[in-house]
Amino acid sequence: MTKTLKGRISMVYFCLVLVIAMVGMVSVFNLYKLSNSINGLMTANYKSIKAVNNMIEYIEKQDHAVLTYIRVDNENGINTFIQNQRFFLDAFDVERHNITELGEADLVRQLNTSYMDYVRSFAELQEIKHRAGAVGAYNFYTADIQSKFKLIKSLLKKLVDLNEAAIFHSEDLVTKNTQKAMNFILYLSLIAVSGGFAAARFFINRFLKPVDQLKETVKLIKAGDLNRQAEVFYADEIGGLASEFNAMTKRLLQYEQSTIGKLMAEKKKSEAIVRSISDPLVVLDTNCRFLLLNEAAERFFELDEQWALDKHFLEVLHNAELFEHIVGALNSDDDDRQKMVRITANEKEYYFNVIVKPVKNHDAAENNIIVLFQNITQIKHLEKIKTDFIATVSHEFKTPLTSIIMGISLLQDEKIGTLNQEQAKTLVTIKEDSDSLSNLVNDLLELSRIESDQAIFKMQPCSVPGLVANSVKRFLDQAARNEINLYYEVEEDLPKVNADPEKIAWVLNNLINNALKYTNAGDEICVSALVRHHQMWVSVKDTGIGIPAEYQTKIFEKFVQVRSYDLEIRGTGLGLAIAKEIIEAHGGQIWYKSELDAGSTFTFILPLIEESTNEESLNRR
Ligand code: ADP
């Protein structure tokens, strides 16, 4: 038996072709046999009928010759008789050797006897004609020869009938045989077709069984069962494929085992790193359930990791603010978000910079959230010391500075004596520097108050157009002196905002003051107020010198000033930092857009009164 699948399929195909060929051959053989038997039957009977018909013709001619001989012509009648006798005997000879039917031999024998008798009677008739003339001969003819002639004819007729009957019978036989042959071919074909189909199905199923098995094994392996081996049924092409497949699975298993080992080692390493981080760190799943807590987190929150695992964040830490921050970070577009959070533990206050980092897997779906609690309590503490120090120093500076400035005013007013030109000039410089110092001290005090939680915001419904109008009015003279067109545009019927009017006025004044400082004669400053997206938008736009792009991110930081500006117009570098603190304390935002030599626009937004808190005052942080 051939070993390859191709060979086996060819073998089945060859067997089917063989069966079809056999059916064909048997059919042809049957038809051939049938046709032969028909031919045999028909030919023999027709031959007899033809010979008998010839004999009838010749005997009739002989009878006619007898009558001719009796009436007139002796010679001619005898010759014709003898000639036809020869023909008759030839035909008789054919019939005698072609006996096919039952009773035919007997008839042939009777015919032979009767004909011989008839021929003898003609010889006797010739003698009678010699003796008794034509009348005697005719009498003999009617009395003897005529009856013999009729007997011969009736025998010949019987022979014809017998052979004709045989032909009819043969026709019947042929029809029956044809029917038989057709039935035989039909049954044979049916057996061949159904047998061939069943055999082909059987063998195809048998040949394809390994393919089905292989398919099942592939499915199981795909589902992760790498220990599964495909069964090798035959050493054919499919068997070869199954062996190769098994080898591949083995390699995959080895690879997986080695990869898993490596991955486990890597995982342990990463976990060790995470656990050794000195700041608290937790890992949550997307449903905010704990997946990991490092030792610092366990220590700080006084938790046991095993207990906390798989529990919801709120169930473990009960800190709604923190939870909101984490959820907010998850829903935000930013990759990571930070927020300073104050947490009280063991009756002590801690400050943490909470960094939330959603971790995405390879198809960009979030699967884990890392929350790192960066402990900034120490930094906060140092900041407080610094703020307190600045506040104390500023405060200590403020009183002597006030008396210095007052003293300068007294001297300049020449209430305590006249000054020469040189002294007056020196006093102007001292006055300018004292004013600068006083501004710096005021700004520092303001900033330290805001930063040290001491700033009390007196929140109340206030009208922004009124604040804008007042601030602009305050600077109109200065603007006119500098030949700058200062004006404001406010939308009609603006709603009120919940704010501390003094602080917002401080911000506005600072922005307008800056705009005046950094514009030249002929420039414009426009202060506008309008409502957009349910918020109050206030802008101070100037056509001044603008701010270089590199200051974009840091202009709101403390002591940041653009270096290239003329020293004459420099301030303290604290105004925008304070403005930012104030606006953010109101729940708003501040930013700017600027183009060098084209101007700057500083904008801040404040929530409208419906959305802001109704409390009379709000203690920041
Ligand atoms: P200062 O007291 O120095 O004005 P601010 O914090 O108010 O401090 O401003 C910081 C710096 O930002 C300024 O020193 C100036 O360089 C720049 N600045 C602020 N406003 C403008 C403006 N309208 N046009 C150009 N530069 C400005």
Side-chain angles (χ1 to χ4, degrees):
M1 175 94 178
T2 172
K3 279 189 173 178
T4 63
L5 182 66
K6 203 167 129 192
R8 276 193 272 154
I9 290 175
S10 305
M11 183 72 93
V12 172
Y13 182 72
F14 176 72
C15 289
L16 283 177
V17 170
L18 211 67
V19 169
I20 293 168
M22 266 169 62
V23 171
M25 271 161 63
V26 169
S27 307
V28 168
F29 174 71
N30 264 321
L31 288 175
Y32 178 74
K33 217 171 91 184
L34 197 67
S35 132
N36 267 359
S37 76
I38 293 168
N39 278 346
L41 284 169
M42 300 286 184
T43 317
N45 291 118
Y46 272 119
K47 206 172 158 189
S48 290
I49 289 170
K50 202 179 165 198
V52 172
N53 278 336
N54 284 342
M55 280 191 273
I56 291 171
E57 190 192 328
Y58 301 139
I59 194 78
E60 276 175 353
K61 279 183 182 168
Q62 278 183 305
D63 187 55
H64 190 72
V66 171
L67 287 174
T68 308
Y69 173 76
I70 292 170
R71 262 183 273 140
V72 278
D73 190 354
N74 288 344
E75 275 305 305
N76 205 18
I78 292 169
N79 286 342
T80 308
F81 187 92
I82 291 169
Q83 191 185 19
N84 282 298
Q85 182 183 344
R86 229 180 9 254
F87 290 152
F88 185 94
L89 287 174
D90 285 347
F92 177 77
D93 212 33
V94 172
E95 168 58 17
R96 197 160 57 93
H97 290 103
N98 190 38
I99 290 167
T100 53
E101 304 307 317
L102 199 67
E104 196 176 0
D106 198 31
L107 281 173
V108 167
R109 248 192 324 276
Q110 282 181 45
L111 181 67
N112 187 28
T113 317
S114 303
Y115 188 70
M116 290 303 136
D117 206 15
Y118 177 73
V119 171
R120 268 196 306 275
S121 291
F122 180 62
E124 213 174 313
L125 183 117
Q126 286 173 42
E127 276 178 33
I128 291 170
K129 191 179 176 187
H130 281 299
R131 274 190 281 124
V135 178
Y138 186 73
N139 286 339
F140 180 71
Y141 171 76
T142 50
D144 183 68
I145 293 182
Q146 197 174 33
S147 61
K148 285 177 182 164
F149 167 68
K150 281 182 183 164
L151 176 67
I152 289 168
K153 265 190 84 174
S154 84
L155 284 172
L156 288 170
K157 182 82 176 53
K158 274 182 189 167
L159 274 173
V160 169
D161 288 347
L162 190 67
N163 276 290
E164 273 179 356
I167 285 176
F168 286 127
H169 178 68
S170 296
E171 258 180 29
D172 265 6
L173 205 69
V174 166
T175 313
K176 268 183 197 157
N177 280 350
T178 312
Q179 194 65 45
K180 251 191 204 166
M182 270 169 63
N183 286 346
F184 177 71
I185 291 168
L186 189 74
Y187 290 136
L188 197 67
S189 305
L190 274 176
I191 291 167
V193 167
S194 48
F197 181 73
R201 241 189 105 76
F202 171 76
F203 282 111
I204 284 171
N205 280 346
R206 211 178 131 102
F207 298 159
L208 291 185
K209 196 177 161 202
V211 178
D212 287 342
Q213 292 271 342
L214 190 60
K215 198 173 120 196
E216 285 308 309
T217 314
V218 170
K219 265 191 203 165
L220 290 170
I221 288 169
K222 200 177 107 192
D225 186 0
L226 283 179
N227 287 309
R228 191 65 63 160
Q229 290 277 293
E231 206 172 324
V232 181
F233 287 86
Y234 311 107
D236 58 3
E237 290 88 336
I238 297 170
L241 181 67
S243 305
E244 290 300 323
F245 185 80
N246 286 341
M248 186 189 80
T249 317
K250 228 182 234 169
R251 287 287 303 276
L252 266 179
L253 191 67
Q254 280 167 3
Y255 175 74
E256 197 196 55
Q257 277 163 355
S258 69
T259 315
I260 284 178
K262 272 187 205 151
L263 282 176
M264 288 304 286
E266 287 300 322
K267 188 174 173 256
K268 277 191 184 139
K269 218 193 278 175
S270 311
E271 274 184 13
I273 293 169
V274 167
R275 286 183 194 288
S276 65
I277 291 172
S278 56
D279 282 330
L281 181 143
V282 299
V283 181
L284 307 171
D285 66 11
T286 42
N287 295 320
C288 290
R289 292 184 178 279
F290 279 92
L291 293 176
L292 185 146
L293 284 100
N294 73 351
E295 279 159 24
E298 278 186 301
R299 252 195 327 273
F300 181 77
F301 295 113
E302 294 182 335
L303 292 171
D304 174 38
E305 190 190 20
Q306 290 311 313
W307 173 82
L309 285 186
D310 227 28
K311 288 201 171 67
H312 193 269
F313 184 88
L314 283 176
E315 197 184 336
V316 175
L317 288 183
H318 315 288
N319 190 328
E321 189 195 348
L322 204 56
F323 181 66
E324 263 171 36
H325 173 53
I326 292 167
V327 174
L330 275 182
N331 297 330
S332 121
D333 289 340
D334 295 351
D335 251 11
D336 62 345
R337 277 177 114 205
Q338 315 191 8
K339 189 182 183 186
M340 203 203 67
V341 178
R342 189 169 56 185
I343 298 175
T344 311
N346 304 326
E347 294 169 6
K348 269 171 82 183
E349 277 194 339
Y350 293 91
Y351 289 89
F352 287 104
N353 185 26
V354 180
I355 303 168
V356 180
K357 177 91 189 162
V359 183
K360 294 177 179 172
N361 61 16
H362 57 277
D363 27 289
E366 283 169 11
N367 53 2
N368 285 334
I369 309 153
I370 296 175
V371 187
L372 176 69
F373 298 81
Q374 214 171 41
N375 194 345
I376 52 166
T377 314
Q378 198 63 27
I379 299 168
K380 266 274 165 193
H381 183 62
L382 290 175
E383 243 180 39
K384 193 170 178 319
I385 293 172
K386 182 201 79 184
T387 310
D388 288 350
F389 173 73
I390 290 173
T392 316
V393 171
S394 307
H395 204 264
E396 291 305 316
F397 265 116
K398 201 172 160 63
T399 324
L401 251 177
T402 314
S403 47
I404 290 169
I405 290 167
M406 271 174 63
I408 294 166
S409 292
L410 284 174
L411 285 172
Q412 280 182 328
D413 291 349
E414 296 190 334
K415 291 201 174 133
I416 40 178
T418 50
L419 301 170
N420 62 29
Q421 219 180 345
E422 204 58 31
Q423 288 167 334
K425 219 172 139 190
T426 313
L427 262 185
V428 169
T429 316
I430 296 171
K431 172 87 165 66
E432 275 176 7
D433 287 347
S434 304
D435 282 345
S436 270
L437 201 58
S438 168
N439 282 342
L440 178 64
V441 166
N442 285 337
D443 282 356
L444 281 172
L445 273 173
E446 186 68 32
L447 192 64
S448 58
R449 259 207 304 278
I450 294 171
E451 283 185 338
S452 66
D453 302 348
Q454 289 165 11
I456 305 295
F457 284 74
K458 297 192 181 80
M459 305 298 274
Q460 53 190 271
C462 56
S463 141
V464 173
L467 291 175
V468 169
N470 281 342
S471 292
V472 168
K473 213 164 113 193
R474 207 179 135 183
F475 290 97
L476 276 177
D477 283 349
Q478 192 187 339
R481 272 200 307 280
N482 296 352
E483 294 174 41
I484 288 162
N485 180 17
L486 171 65
Y487 62 99
Y488 66 88
E489 283 174 349
V490 289
E491 273 183 0
E492 276 179 30
D493 302 326
L494 282 179
K496 291 190 170 178
V497 292
N498 194 35
D500 180 338
E502 256 184 48
K503 296 279 189 278
I504 299 301
W506 193 100
V507 174
L508 265 172
N509 290 343
N510 189 271
L511 294 180
I512 298 171
N513 193 26
N514 275 352
L516 279 169
K517 276 197 279 182
Y518 305 111
T519 40
N520 297 312
D523 277 329
E524 276 192 359
I525 300 171
C526 173
V527 185
S528 59
L530 43 90
V531 169
R532 286 283 178 280
H533 312 297
H534 307 291
Q535 282 168 318
M536 179 68 69
W537 289 52
V538 184
S539 297
V540 178
K541 179 178 180 183
D542 66 59
T543 54
I545 58 174
I547 303 167
E550 63 264 30
Y551 286 84
Q552 189 81 34
T553 50
K554 48 188 179 185
I555 204 82
F556 289 100
E557 287 173 17
K558 284 172 230 165
F559 304 110
V560 170
Q561 291 178 311
V562 177
R563 276 164 187 260
S564 58
Y565 293 167
D566 188 347
L567 278 177
E568 286 295 310
I569 54 170
R570 280 182 60 177
T572 61
L574 289 172
L576 289 179
I578 297 170
K580 188 169 186 273
E581 293 281 344
I582 292 173
I583 295 300
E584 285 180 357
H586 280 78
Q589 275 173 282
I590 183 165
W591 71 91
Y592 81 96
K593 277 184 185 159
S594 183
E595 202 181 318
L596 216 53
D597 298 327
S600 319
T601 306
F602 282 81
T603 307
F604 64 84
I605 51 174
L606 293 171
L608 295 183
I609 199 149
E610 307 86 56
E611 290 168 11
S612 60
T613 169
N614 280 329
E615 281 173 43
E616 270 295 292
S617 65
L618 171 81
N619 196 345
R620 185 169 174 252
R621 287 189 222 132

